[in-house]
Amino acid sequence: DRDGSVRDGIFGRLAAGFELTFAWHNTALGAEVLFISDGARRPDRYIARAAGFYPDDVAYFGRHYVAASAGGEIIPILRVQTMLLANVKDFSGMGLVSLAWSAADEIEILAGVLAPWGEAPAGDPLSPLPVPSIESEFGTAALTVFLEGRFYF
């Protein structure tokens, strides 16, 4: 770890999932579960968990997550993808909808929206040093709209 000492305990991560693909519009459906043994057991421990991150840690605060995805071609040069990721303990999550357009040979344009849900951080605005109370992991995230260009060579 950071100071050269050994971390207390042994920690692990376990993920299991599946993906099904279909010839119809090159459709794919998937689901996954994730367990992180050293994740916070309660939302009020998320800040402490974040403070203890190591450079190689995954940036998840909790212990139990589920995810689902679905995607397929609308037309051969336009693909839609949807994904959901949820923290099982605090019922927060994030959804993604994106479109990928094959604009030319070796050029792809992506556009999408990441939409979080969950309780927003709370705090006492009258406190001289307001410390937020995180009630949900993904409730801290902002709605994100993105546009991305990919060029392959």
Side-chain angles (χ1 to χ4, degrees), residues 82-86 93-97 113-117 138 143-144:
T82 60
M83 292 183 214
L84 293 173
L85 172 65
M94 187 163 296
L96 165 80
V97 176
V113 176
L114 281 162
W117 71 84
F138 295 106
L143 178 70
T144 305

Side-chain angles (χ1 to χ4, degrees), residues 8-88:
D8 291 335
I10 296 174
F11 302 102
R13 299 178 191 118
L14 177 66
F18 71 90
E19 183 172 78
L20 302 172
T21 56
F22 305 95
W24 184 77
H25 291 273
N26 286 322
T27 303
L29 301 172
E32 189 169 312
V33 295
L34 171 64
F35 171 74
I36 301 171
S37 68
D38 61 336
R41 292 178 190 268
R42 300 183 323 265
D44 63 350
R45 301 294 303 148
Y46 289 165
I47 292 175
R49 164 81 172 136
F53 278 156
Y54 290 88
D56 62 340
D57 273 343
V58 293
Y60 295 117
F61 297 155
R63 294 172 64 97
H64 302 281
Y65 296 87
V66 295
S69 64
E73 292 177 349
I74 297 171
I75 58 175
I77 62 168
L78 185 62
R79 181 167 180 76
V80 65
Q81 184 71 37
T82 60
M83 292 183 214
L84 293 173
L85 172 65
N87 179 316
V88 175

